[in-house]
Amino acid sequence: ADVVVHRKFRGFGIGRTMSKILIARAKEEKVTRVWLRSNRKRNEAHKLYKDLGFRKEIDVYIFSLDT
């Protein structure tokens, strides 16, 4: 499923908050890896993913919960 913050509401921490909630929920469920795909042009989103601890593997950002 696509999850996108509308352009008008970007910069308010909505994407960061949603991502942190998702990661916390994944940890509760004992998920060991969260991955996502993002348009190559979405530089602001890519910075967010890196700030949250995702690492880039080709065009997929992955967050490992087993470390």
Side-chain angles (χ1 to χ4, degrees):
D2 290 340
V3 178
V4 180
V5 175
H6 189 281
R7 197 171 291 140
K8 185 168 136 179
F9 299 104
R10 292 181 189 158
F12 295 101
I14 296 168
R16 181 176 302 277
T17 299
M18 288 191 311
S19 297
K20 286 182 176 182
I21 290 168
L22 169 68
I23 291 167
R25 177 67 181 187
K27 287 179 182 180
E28 290 172 8
E29 296 294 325
K30 308 289 190 244
V31 173
T32 59
R33 187 170 285 202
V34 174
W35 63 273
L36 61 88
R37 295 192 65 165
S38 181
N39 186 308
R40 291 179 182 174
K41 299 176 184 177
R42 302 278 326 279
N43 294 324
E44 292 175 20
H46 300 169
K47 182 180 180 329
L48 169 63
Y49 307 144
K50 289 177 186 176
D51 288 349
L52 289 169
F54 285 81
R55 71 178 188 282
K56 186 175 182 183
E57 291 187 7
I58 306 173
D59 288 332
V60 176
Y61 288 81
I62 298 172
F63 186 91
S64 292
L65 299 171
D66 58 351
T67 56

